[in-house]
Amino acid sequence: MKKVVFALLLLSLMLPSICLAVVELKFVNYFPVPAPQSKICEEMIKELEGKSNGELKIKYFPAGTLLTAPKIYEGVSQGVVDIGFSNIGYTFGRFKFTEAMDLPLGFPNAWVANHVANDFFRQYKPKEWNEVHMLSMHTSPVNVIMTATKPVKTLDDLKGMTLRGLGYIAEVVTALGATPRSIPAPEGYEAVQKKVIDGLMMPLETLKSFRFAEVNKYVTECWPIGQVYTFYLIMNKNTWNKLPPNIQKIFNEYPFEEKLAKMWNEVDIEGKKLGQEKGLEFIQLPDSEIPKWKKAVEPVIEKYVKTMVSAGYNEQDVRNAIDFIQKKIEFWTQKQKEAGIKSPTGPEEVRLK
């Protein structure tokens, strides 16, 4: 009997330490510390920790301090870190099915594209993501053409120019008549400044987040062929499986999709505002140019389909996925209009005034 009492006493002394066991995770991101993309990660970390009542601690490594952008997916999947925020363009060809989201399908703005990306993932659950646990898909705002050397007002203006672009964005740069260069975003400033490239095909938000407003003079808004960079927020699968149910519940119920959609839309608005304040010239494609640009990028979509078929995918399944994305673009554009959500690019009804 004394042994039983002693065991119970010992267990009671251990229980507080068991209950107070803390889950510690590592979170990486490549954006500069002051960038909104980095700040939203800090915000999410704080809120997730707050909901855990001290049971969750997340150590944050921004600005590529632990892993550079191209290494983030591998780092998460192999367990070097637990959570990662990056862009599929840095591992071009690894996420073939998801790369349909990077095609020039007419995304009008970030808010729409972010919701489409998550609908796409929920609909298809591509096997290429089976190694990790998906917390949320998200996307950059729509890419624009920002240049330092000359304005781009027509398709002909792009001939002979060199623009930064990754993955299928690089394919679009080529289709439009320019030459793409695969340069990491943090190196884009110096590349433009030193005239290694003439400009970049990136979202308006980078005018502020990467200070591109300081080295560019012109911005051509080409949302009629609207193309985005597809991002992901993932967790190591083993890490996820080992999380206590209450911590998993916190992650499952956290509004990653809405948080990220709002952030990407707002930073694009801020980027355009800064560009206007800096005196950059903003150019809209003339109505006569839009059909030319759309026709120019059609081969990019067809090349994607052929590449997928060569990789063993069913052609109709691939075309259905592209059709799904386009229908969801229409759906979420209408939702945006109904909600009155402003954005810097897109149909006139939702344009930032």
Coordinates of all heavy atoms in Angstrom, one line a residue, residues 176-252:
L176 N 6.7 37.1 -74.6 CA 6.4 38.5 -74.9 C 7.5 39.2 -75.7 O 7.4 40.3 -76.1 CB 6.2 39.3 -73.6 CG 4.9 38.9 -72.8 CD1 4.9 39.6 -71.5 CD2 3.7 39.1 -73.6
G177 N 8.6 38.4 -75.9 CA 9.7 38.9 -76.7 C 10.9 39.4 -76.0 O 11.9 39.9 -76.7
A178 N 10.9 39.3 -74.7 CA 12.1 39.7 -73.9 C 12.9 38.5 -73.5 O 12.5 37.3 -73.8 CB 11.7 40.5 -72.7
T179 N 14.0 38.7 -72.8 CA 14.9 37.6 -72.4 C 14.8 37.5 -70.8 O 15.0 38.5 -70.1 CB 16.4 37.9 -72.8 OG1 16.4 38.0 -74.2 CG2 17.3 36.7 -72.3
P180 N 14.5 36.3 -70.3 CA 14.4 36.2 -68.9 C 15.7 35.9 -68.2 O 16.6 35.3 -68.8 CB 13.4 35.0 -68.7 CG 13.7 34.2 -69.9 CD 14.1 35.1 -71.0
R181 N 15.8 36.4 -66.9 CA 17.0 36.0 -66.1 C 16.5 35.5 -64.8 O 15.6 36.2 -64.1 CB 17.9 37.3 -65.9 CG 18.7 37.7 -67.1 CD 19.9 36.7 -67.4 NE 20.8 36.7 -66.3 CZ 21.9 37.5 -66.2 NH1 22.1 38.5 -67.1 NH2 22.7 37.4 -65.1
S182 N 17.0 34.4 -64.3 CA 16.5 33.8 -63.1 C 17.4 34.4 -62.0 O 18.5 33.9 -61.6 CB 16.7 32.3 -63.1 OG 16.3 31.7 -61.9
I183 N 16.9 35.4 -61.3 CA 17.6 36.1 -60.3 C 16.7 36.1 -59.0 O 15.6 36.5 -59.1 CB 17.9 37.6 -60.7 CG1 18.8 37.6 -61.9 CG2 18.5 38.4 -59.5 CD1 19.1 39.0 -62.5
P184 N 17.2 35.7 -57.9 CA 16.5 35.7 -56.6 C 16.0 37.2 -56.3 O 16.7 38.1 -56.6 CB 17.4 35.3 -55.6 CG 18.4 34.4 -56.3 CD 18.6 35.1 -57.7
A185 N 14.8 37.3 -55.8 CA 14.2 38.6 -55.6 C 15.1 39.5 -54.8 O 15.3 40.7 -55.1 CB 12.9 38.5 -54.9
P186 N 15.8 39.1 -53.7 CA 16.6 40.0 -52.9 C 17.8 40.5 -53.8 O 18.4 41.5 -53.4 CB 17.2 39.1 -51.8 CG 16.1 38.0 -51.6 CD 15.7 37.7 -53.0
E187 N 18.2 39.9 -54.9 CA 19.3 40.4 -55.7 C 18.8 41.2 -56.9 O 19.6 41.8 -57.6 CB 20.0 39.1 -56.3 CG 20.7 38.3 -55.2 CD 21.3 37.0 -55.7 OE1 21.6 37.0 -56.9 OE2 21.5 36.1 -55.0
G188 N 17.5 41.4 -57.0 CA 16.9 42.2 -58.1 C 17.3 43.6 -58.1 O 17.6 44.2 -59.2
Y189 N 17.4 44.2 -56.9 CA 17.7 45.7 -56.8 C 19.1 46.0 -57.4 O 19.2 46.8 -58.3 CB 17.7 46.0 -55.3 CG 18.0 47.5 -55.0 CD1 16.9 48.3 -54.7 CD2 19.2 48.1 -55.1 CE1 17.1 49.7 -54.4 CE2 19.5 49.4 -54.8 CZ 18.4 50.2 -54.5 OH 18.6 51.6 -54.2
E190 N 20.1 45.2 -57.0 CA 21.4 45.4 -57.5 C 21.5 45.1 -59.0 O 22.2 45.7 -59.8 CB 22.4 44.6 -56.7 CG 23.9 44.8 -57.1 CD 24.9 44.1 -56.2 OE1 24.4 43.2 -55.4 OE2 26.1 44.3 -56.4
A191 N 20.8 44.1 -59.5 CA 20.8 43.7 -60.9 C 20.3 44.8 -61.8 O 20.8 45.0 -62.8 CB 20.0 42.4 -61.1
V192 N 19.2 45.5 -61.3 CA 18.7 46.6 -62.1 C 19.6 47.8 -62.0 O 19.9 48.4 -63.0 CB 17.3 47.0 -61.6 CG1 16.8 48.2 -62.3 CG2 16.3 45.8 -61.8
Q193 N 20.1 48.0 -60.8 CA 21.0 49.2 -60.5 C 22.2 49.1 -61.4 O 22.7 50.1 -61.9 CB 21.3 49.2 -59.1 CG 22.1 50.5 -58.6 CD 22.4 50.5 -57.1 OE1 22.9 49.5 -56.6 NE2 22.1 51.6 -56.5
K194 N 22.8 47.9 -61.5 CA 24.0 47.7 -62.3 C 23.8 47.4 -63.7 O 24.7 47.1 -64.5 CB 24.9 46.6 -61.6 CG 25.4 47.0 -60.3 CD 26.3 45.9 -59.7 CE 27.0 46.3 -58.4 NZ 27.9 45.3 -57.9
K195 N 22.5 47.5 -64.1 CA 22.1 47.2 -65.5 C 22.4 45.8 -66.0 O 22.7 45.6 -67.2 CB 22.7 48.3 -66.4 CG 22.2 49.7 -66.1 CD 22.8 50.8 -67.0 CE 22.3 52.2 -66.6 NZ 22.8 53.2 -67.5
V196 N 22.4 44.9 -65.1 CA 22.5 43.5 -65.5 C 21.3 43.1 -66.2 O 21.3 42.3 -67.1 CB 22.8 42.6 -64.3 CG1 22.8 41.1 -64.6 CG2 24.1 43.0 -63.6
I197 N 20.1 43.7 -65.8 CA 18.8 43.5 -66.4 C 18.2 44.8 -66.6 O 18.5 45.8 -66.0 CB 17.9 42.6 -65.6 CG1 17.7 43.1 -64.1 CG2 18.4 41.1 -65.5 CD1 16.8 42.3 -63.3
D198 N 17.2 44.9 -67.5 CA 16.5 46.1 -67.8 C 15.4 46.4 -66.8 O 14.9 47.5 -66.7 CB 16.0 46.1 -69.2 CG 17.1 46.0 -70.3 OD1 17.9 46.9 -70.3 OD2 17.1 45.0 -71.1
G199 N 14.9 45.3 -66.2 CA 13.8 45.4 -65.3 C 13.4 44.1 -64.8 O 14.1 43.1 -64.9
L200 N 12.1 44.0 -64.2 CA 11.7 42.8 -63.6 C 10.2 42.6 -63.9 O 9.5 43.5 -64.2 CB 11.8 42.9 -62.1 CG 13.1 43.5 -61.5 CD1 12.9 44.9 -61.1 CD2 13.6 42.7 -60.3
M201 N 9.8 41.3 -63.9 CA 8.4 41.0 -64.0 C 8.0 40.5 -62.7 O 8.1 39.3 -62.4 CB 8.1 40.0 -65.1 CG 6.6 39.9 -65.5 SD 6.3 39.1 -67.0 CE 4.6 39.4 -67.2
M202 N 7.5 41.4 -61.9 CA 7.2 41.1 -60.5 C 6.0 42.0 -60.1 O 5.6 42.9 -60.8 CB 8.4 41.4 -59.6 CG 9.6 40.4 -59.8 SD 10.9 40.6 -58.6 CE 10.2 39.8 -57.2
P203 N 5.4 41.7 -58.9 CA 4.2 42.5 -58.5 C 4.6 43.9 -58.0 O 5.7 44.2 -57.7 CB 3.7 41.7 -57.3 CG 4.3 40.3 -57.4 CD 5.6 40.5 -58.1
L204 N 3.6 44.7 -58.0 CA 3.7 46.1 -57.5 C 4.3 46.2 -56.1 O 5.0 47.1 -55.8 CB 2.4 46.8 -57.6 CG 1.8 47.2 -59.0 CD1 0.3 47.6 -58.9 CD2 2.6 48.2 -59.7
E205 N 3.9 45.2 -55.3 CA 4.3 45.3 -53.9 C 5.8 45.3 -53.7 O 6.4 45.8 -52.8 CB 3.7 44.1 -53.1 CG 4.1 42.7 -53.6 CD 5.4 42.2 -52.9 OE1 5.9 42.8 -52.0 OE2 5.8 41.1 -53.4
T206 N 6.6 44.8 -54.7 CA 8.0 44.8 -54.6 C 8.6 46.1 -54.8 O 9.8 46.3 -54.5 CB 8.7 43.8 -55.6 OG1 8.3 44.2 -56.9 CG2 8.2 42.4 -55.4
L207 N 7.9 47.1 -55.3 CA 8.3 48.5 -55.3 C 8.7 49.0 -53.9 O 9.6 49.8 -53.8 CB 7.3 49.4 -55.9 CG 7.0 49.2 -57.4 CD1 5.7 50.0 -57.8 CD2 8.2 49.6 -58.3
K208 N 8.0 48.4 -52.9 CA 8.3 48.8 -51.5 C 9.1 47.7 -50.8 O 10.1 48.0 -50.2 CB 6.9 49.0 -50.8 CG 7.1 49.5 -49.4 CD 5.8 49.9 -48.7 CE 6.0 50.4 -47.3 NZ 4.7 50.8 -46.7
S209 N 8.6 46.4 -50.9 CA 9.2 45.4 -50.1 C 10.7 45.1 -50.4 O 11.5 44.8 -49.6 CB 8.4 44.1 -50.2 OG 8.4 43.6 -51.5
F210 N 11.0 45.3 -51.7 CA 12.4 45.1 -52.2 C 13.0 46.4 -52.7 O 14.0 46.4 -53.3 CB 12.5 44.0 -53.3 CG 12.3 42.6 -52.7 CD1 11.1 42.0 -52.8 CD2 13.3 42.0 -52.0 CE1 10.9 40.7 -52.3 CE2 13.1 40.7 -51.5 CZ 11.9 40.1 -51.7
R211 N 12.3 47.5 -52.4 CA 12.8 48.9 -52.8 C 13.0 49.1 -54.3 O 13.8 49.9 -54.7 CB 14.0 49.2 -52.0 CG 13.8 49.2 -50.5 CD 15.1 49.6 -49.7 NE 16.2 48.8 -49.9 CZ 17.4 49.2 -50.4 NH1 17.6 50.5 -50.7 NH2 18.4 48.3 -50.6
F212 N 12.3 48.3 -55.1 CA 12.5 48.5 -56.5 C 12.0 49.8 -57.1 O 12.4 50.2 -58.2 CB 11.7 47.3 -57.3 CG 12.3 46.0 -57.0 CD1 11.6 44.8 -57.1 CD2 13.7 45.8 -56.7 CE1 12.1 43.6 -56.9 CE2 14.2 44.6 -56.5 CZ 13.4 43.4 -56.6
A213 N 11.2 50.6 -56.3 CA 10.8 51.9 -56.7 C 12.0 52.8 -56.8 O 12.0 53.9 -57.5 CB 9.8 52.5 -55.8
E214 N 13.1 52.5 -56.2 CA 14.3 53.3 -56.2 C 15.1 53.1 -57.4 O 16.0 54.0 -57.8 CB 15.2 53.0 -55.0 CG 14.5 53.3 -53.6 CD 15.4 52.8 -52.4 OE1 16.6 52.5 -52.7 OE2 14.9 52.9 -51.3
V215 N 15.0 52.0 -58.1 CA 15.8 51.7 -59.3 C 15.1 51.6 -60.6 O 15.7 51.4 -61.7 CB 16.7 50.5 -59.1 CG1 17.7 50.7 -58.0 CG2 15.8 49.3 -58.7
N216 N 13.7 51.7 -60.6 CA 12.9 51.6 -61.8 C 12.2 53.0 -62.0 O 12.0 53.7 -61.1 CB 11.9 50.5 -61.7 CG 12.5 49.1 -61.8 OD1 12.9 48.7 -62.8 ND2 12.6 48.4 -60.6
K217 N 11.8 53.2 -63.3 CA 11.2 54.4 -63.7 C 9.8 54.2 -64.2 O 8.9 55.1 -64.2 CB 12.0 55.2 -64.7 CG 13.4 55.6 -64.3 CD 14.1 56.3 -65.4 CE 15.5 56.7 -65.0 NZ 16.3 57.3 -66.1
Y218 N 9.5 53.0 -64.7 CA 8.2 52.8 -65.4 C 7.6 51.5 -64.9 O 8.3 50.5 -64.6 CB 8.5 52.7 -66.9 CG 9.3 53.7 -67.5 CD1 10.7 53.5 -67.8 CD2 8.8 55.0 -67.8 CE1 11.5 54.5 -68.3 CE2 9.6 56.0 -68.3 CZ 11.0 55.8 -68.6 OH 11.8 56.7 -69.1
V219 N 6.3 51.4 -64.9 CA 5.5 50.2 -64.6 C 4.4 50.0 -65.6 O 3.6 50.9 -65.8 CB 4.9 50.3 -63.1 CG1 4.1 49.1 -62.8 CG2 6.0 50.5 -62.1
T220 N 4.4 48.9 -66.2 CA 3.3 48.5 -67.1 C 2.5 47.5 -66.5 O 2.9 46.4 -66.2 CB 3.9 47.9 -68.5 OG1 4.8 48.9 -69.0 CG2 2.8 47.6 -69.4
E221 N 1.2 47.8 -66.3 CA 0.2 46.9 -65.7 C -0.4 46.0 -66.8 O -1.1 46.5 -67.6 CB -0.9 47.7 -64.9 CG -0.3 48.5 -63.8 CD -1.4 49.2 -63.0 OE1 -2.6 48.7 -63.0 OE2 -1.2 50.3 -62.5
C222 N -0.1 44.7 -66.7 CA -0.5 43.8 -67.7 C -1.4 42.7 -67.2 O -1.2 41.5 -67.5 CB 0.7 43.2 -68.5 SG 2.0 42.6 -67.4
W223 N -2.4 43.1 -66.3 CA -3.2 42.1 -65.6 C -4.1 41.4 -66.6 O -4.6 40.3 -66.3 CB -4.0 42.8 -64.5 CG -5.0 43.8 -65.0 CD1 -4.9 45.1 -65.0 CD2 -6.4 43.5 -65.5 NE1 -6.0 45.8 -65.5 CE2 -6.9 44.8 -65.8 CE3 -7.1 42.4 -65.7 CZ2 -8.2 44.9 -66.3 CZ3 -8.4 42.5 -66.2 CH2 -9.0 43.8 -66.5
P224 N -4.4 41.9 -67.8 CA -5.2 41.0 -68.7 C -4.6 39.7 -69.0 O -5.3 38.7 -69.4 CB -5.3 41.9 -70.0 CG -5.3 43.3 -69.5 CD -4.2 43.2 -68.4
I225 N -3.2 39.5 -68.9 CA -2.6 38.2 -69.0 C -2.2 37.8 -67.6 O -1.2 37.0 -67.4 CB -1.4 38.2 -69.9 CG1 -0.3 39.2 -69.5 CG2 -1.8 38.5 -71.4 CD1 1.0 39.0 -70.1
G226 N -2.9 38.3 -66.6 CA -2.5 38.2 -65.2 C -1.9 36.9 -64.8 O -2.5 35.8 -64.8
Q227 N -0.7 37.0 -64.3 CA 0.1 35.9 -63.8 C 0.7 36.1 -62.5 O 1.1 37.3 -62.2 CB 1.3 35.6 -64.8 CG 2.1 34.4 -64.6 CD 3.1 34.3 -65.7 OE1 3.6 35.2 -66.3 NE2 3.6 33.0 -66.0
V228 N 0.7 35.1 -61.6 CA 1.2 35.3 -60.3 C 2.3 34.3 -59.9 O 2.5 33.3 -60.7 CB 0.0 35.1 -59.2 CG1 -1.0 36.1 -59.4 CG2 -0.5 33.7 -59.3
Y229 N 3.0 34.6 -58.9 CA 4.0 33.6 -58.3 C 3.2 32.8 -57.2 O 2.7 33.4 -56.3 CB 5.2 34.3 -57.7 CG 6.2 34.9 -58.7 CD1 6.1 36.2 -59.1 CD2 7.2 34.0 -59.2 CE1 7.0 36.7 -60.0 CE2 8.1 34.6 -60.1 CZ 8.0 35.9 -60.5 OH 8.9 36.4 -61.4
T230 N 3.2 31.5 -57.3 CA 2.5 30.7 -56.3 C 3.3 30.4 -55.1 O 4.5 29.9 -55.3 CB 1.9 29.4 -57.0 OG1 1.1 29.7 -58.1 CG2 1.1 28.6 -56.0
F231 N 2.8 30.7 -54.0 CA 3.6 30.5 -52.7 C 2.9 29.4 -51.9 O 1.8 28.9 -52.1 CB 3.5 31.8 -51.9 CG 4.5 32.8 -52.3 CD1 4.3 33.6 -53.4 CD2 5.7 33.1 -51.5 CE1 5.2 34.5 -53.8 CE2 6.6 34.0 -51.9 CZ 6.4 34.8 -53.1
Y232 N 3.6 28.9 -50.9 CA 3.1 27.9 -50.0 C 3.6 28.2 -48.5 O 4.6 28.8 -48.3 CB 3.6 26.5 -50.4 CG 5.1 26.4 -50.5 CD1 6.0 26.2 -49.4 CD2 5.8 26.4 -51.8 CE1 7.3 26.1 -49.5 CE2 7.1 26.3 -51.9 CZ 7.9 26.2 -50.8 OH 9.3 26.1 -50.9
L233 N 2.8 27.7 -47.6 CA 3.1 27.7 -46.2 C 2.9 26.3 -45.7 O 1.8 25.8 -45.7 CB 2.2 28.7 -45.4 CG 2.4 28.8 -43.9 CD1 3.8 29.4 -43.6 CD2 1.4 29.6 -43.2
I234 N 4.0 25.6 -45.5 CA 4.0 24.2 -45.2 C 4.7 23.8 -43.9 O 5.5 24.6 -43.3 CB 4.7 23.4 -46.3 CG1 6.2 23.9 -46.5 CG2 3.9 23.5 -47.6 CD1 7.0 23.1 -47.5
M235 N 4.3 22.6 -43.4 CA 4.9 22.1 -42.2 C 5.5 20.7 -42.4 O 4.9 20.0 -43.3 CB 3.9 22.0 -41.0 CG 4.5 21.5 -39.7 SD 3.2 21.3 -38.4 CE 2.9 23.1 -38.0
N236 N 6.6 20.4 -41.8 CA 7.2 19.1 -41.9 C 6.1 18.0 -41.5 O 5.4 18.2 -40.5 CB 8.4 19.0 -41.0 CG 9.0 17.6 -41.0 OD1 8.6 16.7 -40.1 ND2 9.9 17.3 -41.9
K237 N 6.0 17.0 -42.2 CA 4.9 16.0 -42.0 C 5.1 15.3 -40.7 O 4.1 15.1 -39.9 CB 4.8 15.0 -43.1 CG 3.5 14.3 -43.3 CD 3.3 13.7 -44.6 CE 1.8 13.3 -44.8 NZ 1.6 12.8 -46.2
N238 N 6.3 14.9 -40.3 CA 6.5 14.2 -39.1 C 6.2 15.2 -37.9 O 5.7 14.7 -36.9 CB 8.0 13.7 -39.0 CG 8.2 12.5 -39.9 OD1 7.3 11.8 -40.2 ND2 9.4 12.4 -40.3
T239 N 6.6 16.4 -38.1 CA 6.3 17.4 -37.0 C 4.8 17.5 -36.8 O 4.3 17.5 -35.7 CB 6.8 18.8 -37.4 OG1 8.2 18.8 -37.5 CG2 6.4 19.9 -36.4
W240 N 4.0 17.6 -37.9 CA 2.6 17.7 -37.8 C 2.0 16.5 -37.1 O 1.2 16.6 -36.2 CB 2.0 17.8 -39.2 CG 0.5 17.8 -39.2 CD1 -0.3 16.7 -39.6 CD2 -0.4 18.8 -38.8 NE1 -1.6 17.0 -39.4 CE2 -1.7 18.3 -38.9 CE3 -0.3 20.1 -38.3 CZ2 -2.9 19.0 -38.6 CZ3 -1.4 20.8 -37.9 CH2 -2.7 20.3 -38.1
N241 N 2.4 15.3 -37.5 CA 1.9 14.0 -37.0 C 2.2 13.9 -35.5 O 1.4 13.2 -34.7 CB 2.4 12.8 -37.7 CG 1.9 12.7 -39.1 OD1 0.8 13.2 -39.4 ND2 2.7 12.1 -40.0
K242 N 3.3 14.5 -35.0 CA 3.6 14.4 -33.6 C 3.0 15.5 -32.7 O 3.1 15.5 -31.5 CB 5.1 14.5 -33.4 CG 5.9 13.3 -34.0 CD 7.4 13.4 -33.9 CE 8.1 12.2 -34.5 NZ 9.6 12.4 -34.5
L243 N 2.4 16.5 -33.3 CA 1.8 17.6 -32.6 C 0.6 17.1 -31.7 O -0.2 16.2 -32.2 CB 1.2 18.7 -33.5 CG 2.3 19.6 -34.2 CD1 1.5 20.6 -35.1 CD2 3.2 20.3 -33.2
P244 N 0.5 17.5 -30.5 CA -0.7 17.2 -29.7 C -2.0 17.6 -30.4 O -2.0 18.6 -31.1 CB -0.5 18.0 -28.4 CG 1.0 18.3 -28.3 CD 1.4 18.4 -29.8
P245 N -3.1 16.9 -30.2 CA -4.3 17.2 -30.9 C -4.8 18.7 -30.7 O -5.3 19.3 -31.6 CB -5.3 16.2 -30.3 CG -4.5 15.1 -29.9 CD -3.2 15.6 -29.4
N246 N -4.6 19.2 -29.5 CA -5.0 20.6 -29.2 C -4.2 21.6 -30.0 O -4.7 22.6 -30.5 CB -4.9 20.9 -27.7 CG -3.5 20.9 -27.2 OD1 -2.8 19.9 -27.5 ND2 -3.1 21.9 -26.4
I247 N -2.9 21.3 -30.3 CA -2.1 22.2 -31.1 C -2.4 22.0 -32.6 O -2.5 23.0 -33.3 CB -0.6 21.9 -30.9 CG1 -0.2 22.1 -29.4 CG2 0.3 22.8 -31.8 CD1 -0.4 23.5 -28.9
Q248 N -2.7 20.8 -33.0 CA -3.2 20.6 -34.4 C -4.5 21.4 -34.6 O -4.7 22.0 -35.7 CB -3.4 19.1 -34.7 CG -2.2 18.3 -34.9 CD -2.5 16.9 -35.3 OE1 -3.6 16.4 -35.2 NE2 -1.5 16.2 -35.8
K249 N -5.3 21.4 -33.6 CA -6.6 22.1 -33.7 C -6.4 23.6 -33.9 O -7.1 24.3 -34.7 CB -7.5 21.8 -32.5 CG -8.9 22.4 -32.5 CD -9.7 21.9 -31.3 CE -11.1 22.3 -31.4 NZ -11.3 23.8 -31.1
I250 N -5.4 24.1 -33.2 CA -5.1 25.6 -33.3 C -4.7 25.9 -34.8 O -5.1 26.9 -35.4 CB -4.0 26.0 -32.3 CG1 -4.6 25.9 -30.9 CG2 -3.5 27.4 -32.7 CD1 -3.5 26.1 -29.8
F251 N -3.8 25.1 -35.3 CA -3.4 25.3 -36.7 C -4.5 25.1 -37.7 O -4.7 25.9 -38.6 CB -2.2 24.3 -37.1 CG -0.9 24.8 -36.6 CD1 -0.3 24.3 -35.4 CD2 -0.2 25.7 -37.4 CE1 0.9 24.8 -35.0 CE2 1.1 26.2 -37.0 CZ 1.6 25.7 -35.8
N252 N -5.4 24.1 -37.5 CA -6.5 23.8 -38.4 C -7.5 24.9 -38.4 O -8.1 25.2 -39.5 CB -7.1 22.5 -38.0 CG -6.4 21.3 -38.5 OD1 -5.6 21.3 -39.4 ND2 -6.5 20.2 -37.8

